[in-house]
């Protein structure tokens, strides 16, 4: 089948013949293609259309996770950002001659019924969930991955997906139920939780999660290595709270393929969850801790748990939703909690949180290693940074580095590559790209593309806080979870990622509300990030062994380069050391070029360095300045 089948609409006239092709396409190594962008035109003020949007995308995402588990079989089109079709961008890039997908045949599915029929042999049926209990949608995704089912919401409307594929059409068999056969709720928030010997939590939201823990986690039928923190069907009540694709259903596919547990729970223990106000305070938190404890047990305390997702702050658990906590505080509380249980997150945060096709792209063939350049002492002398005695030759200069972030989320990297990485001015000034190497799991093609198209001025370091986002102070004993130290597990997790991507610098460590790094914590980072780290809770300067440690400083967030330059100059003038770190979020290379033009005019003695030069000069300076190396220099 060298001739591409896809995109030949005329062929659909021969429907019986086409259906035969569709049914066997997986066996013939053909990629199915399905376009979900029709849902982008739905009226979000129409509850029926919102329900249809939710149902179609949820069913397709769970189907995709199952059929892509062993290979790249099904690709969807859905994510559109600032007018750019993100999925087409990546698809087209790797359909080019010589690329991974170039000679692959494709079949385009015209509607969801045809799509399901095509992959019917790969699924065992349906897991049916309850419209009236929001959390059952997440439980359904988890069950779908473990039992090879597609998730369907119970809705007897004749036009509903349930009516079209269970009552009619393919008449898929209902294998698992989170709702009674007569359509009434299975979970009542009272008595014994059905299918378990446990008393109800008193919360309709939490009981389905306890049911899942008892039936799947405690029986070791669920992965402990992957968890998914995505909003449940409560989204349908407020679909316009942020960008429409932040139902994040398209993110489910990867975690379905990994047989992950799914949850949407508040990390706060001092107020009821904002989406379940009648619960006993702390019920959500207790269930979340139980999920994390079971994952830790399944992993035997040795492996880290990879959690995709982020608190849905525009919808729940924050002041936006009637809670008492701010957005960043909620982010940090969740990050702090998971670190105590050997878990980290791939932070699909609101704004650019939607991701499609991770279960497809995860099969992209990466190289064994992606080497980066280093800087030698001789080179530093030739460039005028060291004098003949090997001392740092400042010549009245201050040196600084930008943390080019935030790229600790697969979704953010994929959505912003066309508008940021592909900027025509990239390569004109040194940029320290802080990209989490753990993103190779869901978007390996993006990390590969960055390396193959990088200029001499593009250098890569790890984003917060290494190979994943957690607060590393929570890995240190004593731990709130009561578990033994997780530092060795974290180091063993990070090392392979740092080695593949040739990373020796961790560009930022968010300590947040967790303890700062102890000696043991610093030793842990020195084992895989020997050329530098930038935490929040350390002395201003420090040399730990031979690893340079610099305390993080200000975010430079102004869009106007003139204002941003003034903010930086104000800060540089009060800092008592000649090395400076500043963080930016989603700034384009053009912004950095304009910033540097403004800075050169304002103060030509402040120099932006490339990352290896900055951290090597900083290390040399620390060696030659005992007060700085031992943390005795502080701000006035």
């Amino acid at each position: 089948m060298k001739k591409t089948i896809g995109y030949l609409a005329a062929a659909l006239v021969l429907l019986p013949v086409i259906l035969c092709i569709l049914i066997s396409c997986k066996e013939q190594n053909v990629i199915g293609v399905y376009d979900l962008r029709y849902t982008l035109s739905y009226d979000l003020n129409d509850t029926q259309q919102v329900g249809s949007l939710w149902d179609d995308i949820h069913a397709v995402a769970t189907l995709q996770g199952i059929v892509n588990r062993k290979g790249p079989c099904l690709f969807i089109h859905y994510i559109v950002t600032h007018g750019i079709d993100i999925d087409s961008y990546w698809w087209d890039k790797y359909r080019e001659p010589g690329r991974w997908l170039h000679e692959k045949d494709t079949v385009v599915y015209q509607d969801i019924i045809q799509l399901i029929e095509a992959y019917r042999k790969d699924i065992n049926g349906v897991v049916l969930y309850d419209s009236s209990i929001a959390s059952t949608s997440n439980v359904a995704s988890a069950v779908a991955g473990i039992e090879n089912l597609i998730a369907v919401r119970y809705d007897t409307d004749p036009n509903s997906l349930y009516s079209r594929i269970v009552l009619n059409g393919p008449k898929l068999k209902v294998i698992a139920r989170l709702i009674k056969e007569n359509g009434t709720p299975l979970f009542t928030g009272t008595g014994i939780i059905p299918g378990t010997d446990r008393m109800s939590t008193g919360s309709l939201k939490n009981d389905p999660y306890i049911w899942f823990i008892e039936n799947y986690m405690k029986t070791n039928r669920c992965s402990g290595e992957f968890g998914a923190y995505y909003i449940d069907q409560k989204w349908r009540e407020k679909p316009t709270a942020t960008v429409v694709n932040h139902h994040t259903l398209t993110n489910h596919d990867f975690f379905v393929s990994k047989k992950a547990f799914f949850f949407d729970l508040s990390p706060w223990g001092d107020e009821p969850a904002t989406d379940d106000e009648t619960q006993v305070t702390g019920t959500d938190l207790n269930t979340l801790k139980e999920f994390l404890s079971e994952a830790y047990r399944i992993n035997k305390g040795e492996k880290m748990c990879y959690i995709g997702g982020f608190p849905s702050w525009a919808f729940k658990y924050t002041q936006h939703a009637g809670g008492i906590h701010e957005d960043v505080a909620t982010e940090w509380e969740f990050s702090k909690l998971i670190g105590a249980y050997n878990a980290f997150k791939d932070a699909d945060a609101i704004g650019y949180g939607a991701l499609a096709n991770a279960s497809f792209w995860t099969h992209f063939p990466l190289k064994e290693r992606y080497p980066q350049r280093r800087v030698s002492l001789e080179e530093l002398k030739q460039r005028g940074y060291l004098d003949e005695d090997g001392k740092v030759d400042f010549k009245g200069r201050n040196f600084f580095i930008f943390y080019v972030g935030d790229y600790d989320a697969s979704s953010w990297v994929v959505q912003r590559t066309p508008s940021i990485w592909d900027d025509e001015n990239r390569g004109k000034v040194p940029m320290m790209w802080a990209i989490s190497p753990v993103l190779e799991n869901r978007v390996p093609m993006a990390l590969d593309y960055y390396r193959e198209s990088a200029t001499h001025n593009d250098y890569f370091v790890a984003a917060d806080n290494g190979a994943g986002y957690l607060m590393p102070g929570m890995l240190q004993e004593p731990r709130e979870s009561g578990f033994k130290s997780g530092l060795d597990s974290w180091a063993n997790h990070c090392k392979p990622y740092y080695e593949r991507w040739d990373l020796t610098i961790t560009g930022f460590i968010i300590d947040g509300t967790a303890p700062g790094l102890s000696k043991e914590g610093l030793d842990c980072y020195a084992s895989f990030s020997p050329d530098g780290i930038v935490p929040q809770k350390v002395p201003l300067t420090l040399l730990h062994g031979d690893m340079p440690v610099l305390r993080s400083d200000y975010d430079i967030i102004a869009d106007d380069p003139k204002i941003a330059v003034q903010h930086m100059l104000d800060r540089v003038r009060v800092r008592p050391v000649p090395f400076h770190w500043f963080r930016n979020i989603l700034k384009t290379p053009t912004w950095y070029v304009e910033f540097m033009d403004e800075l050169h005019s304002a103060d030509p003695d402040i120099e932006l360095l490339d990352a290896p030069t900055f951290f090597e000069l900083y290390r040399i300076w620390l060696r030659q300045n005992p007060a700085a190396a031992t943390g005795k220099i502080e701000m006035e």
Side-chain angles (χ1 to χ4, degrees):
M1 294 180 64
K2 289 293 184 183
K3 184 176 179 181
T4 299
I5 300 172
Y7 303 103
L8 298 178
L12 292 173
V13 176
L14 303 174
L15 187 57
V17 176
I18 290 296
L19 288 178
C20 290
I21 293 173
L22 298 180
I23 291 169
S24 62
C25 68
K26 185 177 181 183
E27 288 83 352
Q28 297 192 36
N29 197 31
V30 174
I31 296 172
V33 178
Y34 185 64
D35 195 340
L36 276 166
R37 287 172 294 185
Y38 62 86
T39 63
L40 297 176
S41 64
Y42 283 9
D43 181 358
L44 298 183
N45 294 310
D46 184 323
T47 57
Q48 188 170 10
Q49 289 194 45
V50 169
S52 180
L53 176 158
W54 176 276
D55 292 347
D56 283 15
I57 299 176
H58 196 189
V60 170
T62 51
L63 173 67
Q64 188 184 33
I66 294 165
V67 302
N68 284 347
R69 182 171 285 145
K70 295 183 179 179
C73 294
L74 176 60
F75 188 91
I76 70 168
H77 291 275
Y78 178 66
I79 309 297
V80 176
T81 304
H82 303 314
I84 300 172
D85 187 326
I86 299 300
D87 300 307
S88 293
Y89 169 90
W90 290 105
W91 172 267
D92 292 345
K93 188 178 295 296
Y94 288 99
R95 288 290 280 178
E96 294 175 356
R99 296 286 196 163
W100 183 45
L101 302 175
H102 174 54
E103 294 187 349
K104 298 285 187 180
D105 292 321
T106 59
V107 175
V108 175
Y109 300 108
Q110 300 300 312
D111 62 61
I112 195 168
I113 307 299
Q114 187 186 72
L115 174 69
I116 291 170
E117 288 279 17
Y119 291 99
R120 188 167 185 169
K121 291 191 295 182
D122 297 290
I123 58 176
N124 295 327
V126 163
V127 51
L128 201 62
Y129 62 94
D130 190 341
S131 293
S132 68
I133 303 177
S135 61
T136 60
S137 65
N138 265 338
V139 175
S141 284
V143 173
I146 296 167
E147 305 281 10
N148 288 347
L149 308 172
I150 59 174
V152 177
R153 181 176 62 90
Y154 180 80
D155 180 357
T156 56
D157 185 285
N159 295 318
S160 72
L161 186 64
Y162 170 72
S163 295
R164 294 167 64 204
I165 68 173
V166 176
L167 301 182
N168 299 292
K171 293 189 175 181
L172 298 179
K173 187 176 181 180
V174 177
I175 302 298
R177 287 183 174 273
L178 301 172
I179 187 172
K180 291 181 179 178
E181 288 193 28
N182 64 4
T184 60
L186 176 64
F187 302 98
T188 63
T190 61
I192 301 295
I193 298 173
T196 78
D197 59 4
R198 291 181 58 171
M199 285 296 299
S200 169
T201 63
S203 163
L204 278 174
K205 174 186 179 182
N206 280 265
D207 281 2
Y209 287 130
I210 299 300
W211 174 89
F212 178 82
I213 289 170
E214 290 293 320
N215 286 280
Y216 288 94
M217 295 199 83
K218 289 188 176 180
T219 58
N220 298 322
R221 300 177 65 194
C222 174
S223 171
E225 293 184 53
F226 293 93
Y229 186 21
Y230 295 111
I231 191 169
D232 58 28
Q233 60 183 316
K234 194 80 171 176
W235 174 89
R236 293 187 291 114
E237 298 178 9
K238 199 163 59 169
T240 59
T242 183
V243 289
V244 64
N245 60 29
H246 203 79
H247 47 68
T248 52
L249 288 168
T250 53
N251 302 52
H252 287 213
D253 69 310
F254 175 84
F255 297 97
V256 167
S257 76
K258 298 297 185 182
K259 302 184 179 182
F261 59 96
F262 283 71
F263 62 94
D264 176 6
L265 294 160
S266 172
W268 294 109
D270 59 355
E271 65 173 338
T274 60
D275 61 338
D276 189 28
E277 294 179 352
T278 62
Q279 70 173 224
V280 174
T281 298
T283 302
D284 263 32
L285 177 60
N286 290 336
T287 302
L288 179 50
K289 287 181 177 180
E290 191 166 352
F291 267 120
L292 296 170
S293 293
E294 283 300 312
Y296 183 94
R297 178 192 60 79
I298 294 170
N299 294 334
K300 299 178 180 179
E302 297 172 356
K303 296 179 180 178
M304 302 296 296
C305 179
Y306 183 136
I307 296 175
F310 201 84
S312 294
W313 53 261
F315 301 90
K316 300 182 179 187
Y317 316 138
T318 68
Q319 292 173 351
H320 283 85
I324 62 176
H325 297 285
E326 295 181 347
D327 306 341
V328 173
T330 304
E331 168 194 343
W332 281 11
E333 188 71 9
F334 179 68
S335 303
K336 176 184 175 183
L337 176 66
I338 62 177
Y341 292 84
N342 286 18
F344 64 88
K345 64 185 173 186
D346 179 344
D348 296 334
I350 283 178
Y352 302 103
L355 177 69
N357 299 302
S359 65
F360 181 94
W361 290 114
T362 193
H363 299 289
F364 180 88
L366 289 171
K367 299 174 184 177
E368 289 188 10
R369 196 162 186 271
Y370 293 80
Q372 296 200 90
R373 61 186 174 83
R374 296 287 183 269
V375 63
S376 67
L377 296 181
E378 187 58 35
E379 180 185 348
L380 292 176
K381 287 182 179 179
Q382 292 176 357
R383 292 166 60 192
Y385 293 119
L386 296 180
D387 62 23
E388 289 302 315
D389 296 326
K391 293 184 178 181
V392 180
D393 191 358
F394 290 101
K395 298 184 176 68
R397 296 171 292 184
N398 275 275
F399 298 131
F400 80 100
I401 194 81
F402 269 126
Y403 176 88
V404 180
D406 271 0
Y407 302 106
D408 55 6
S410 295
S411 58
W412 284 41
V413 165
V414 162
Q415 287 200 45
R416 294 310 307 267
T417 295
S419 56
I420 294 181
W421 180 262
D422 289 346
D423 185 293
E424 62 182 0
N425 284 310
R426 181 173 55 82
K428 292 183 178 179
V429 298
M431 294 180 67
M432 182 180 77
W433 296 90
I435 300 174
S436 175
V438 82
L439 307 188
E440 72 167 55
N441 286 275
R442 291 202 289 164
V443 292
M445 76 296 184
L447 272 62
D448 180 87
Y449 171 58
Y450 282 21
R451 290 303 181 91
E452 73 167 17
S453 57
T455 71
H456 183 75
N457 270 329
D458 297 313
Y459 193 84
F460 300 91
V461 301
D464 56 290
N465 286 324
Y469 178 6
L470 51 66
M471 290 184 180
M474 301 304 291
L475 298 166
Q476 303 166 168
E477 294 180 311
R479 305 176 75 183
E480 290 185 13
S481 60
F483 294 135
K484 67 179 182 180
S485 171
L487 291 171
D488 286 346
S489 296
W490 181 238
N492 291 335
H493 163 78
C494 288
K495 284 176 183 177
Y497 291 103
Y498 276 61
E499 288 171 2
R500 184 199 292 274
W501 300 101
D502 197 19
L503 304 174
T504 61
I505 298 165
T506 303
F508 186 26
I509 293 176
I510 299 176
D511 294 314
T513 52
L517 290 171
S518 64
K519 176 185 180 301
E520 291 75 18
L522 291 169
D523 288 344
C524 171
Y525 273 89
S527 72
F528 59 84
S529 186
D531 289 335
I533 62 173
V534 186
Q536 293 178 313
K537 293 183 177 180
V538 289
L540 183 60
T541 61
L542 184 68
L543 186 64
H544 182 77
D546 202 38
M547 178 180 69
V549 180
L550 180 66
R551 189 168 69 210
S552 63
D553 208 75
Y554 276 18
D555 290 355
I556 303 296
I557 60 176
D559 290 331
D560 185 332
K562 289 185 178 180
I563 297 174
V565 165
Q566 190 56 54
H567 288 168
M568 195 194 86
L569 290 176
D570 291 344
R571 189 62 180 165
V572 167
R573 287 165 184 158
V574 299
R575 283 171 52 86
V577 295
F579 292 90
H580 311 275
W581 174 101
F582 299 100
R583 172 175 173 249
N584 271 329
I585 302 173
L586 299 180
K587 299 296 190 190
T588 66
T590 293
W591 183 92
Y592 287 97
V593 170
E594 293 173 350
F595 177 94
M596 290 309 301
D597 287 343
E598 292 291 339
L599 180 61
H600 286 148
S601 297
D603 190 339
D605 292 327
I606 301 178
E607 184 172 345
L608 172 65
L609 297 180
D610 60 88
T613 298
F614 178 90
F615 282 95
E616 189 57 35
L617 288 176
Y618 178 52
R619 173 163 35 208
I620 293 169
W621 180 76
L622 288 171
R623 288 172 182 163
Q624 296 167 353
N625 290 270
T630 55
K632 294 179 180 178
I633 297 178
E634 273 301 335
M635 301 287 291
E636 294 182 0

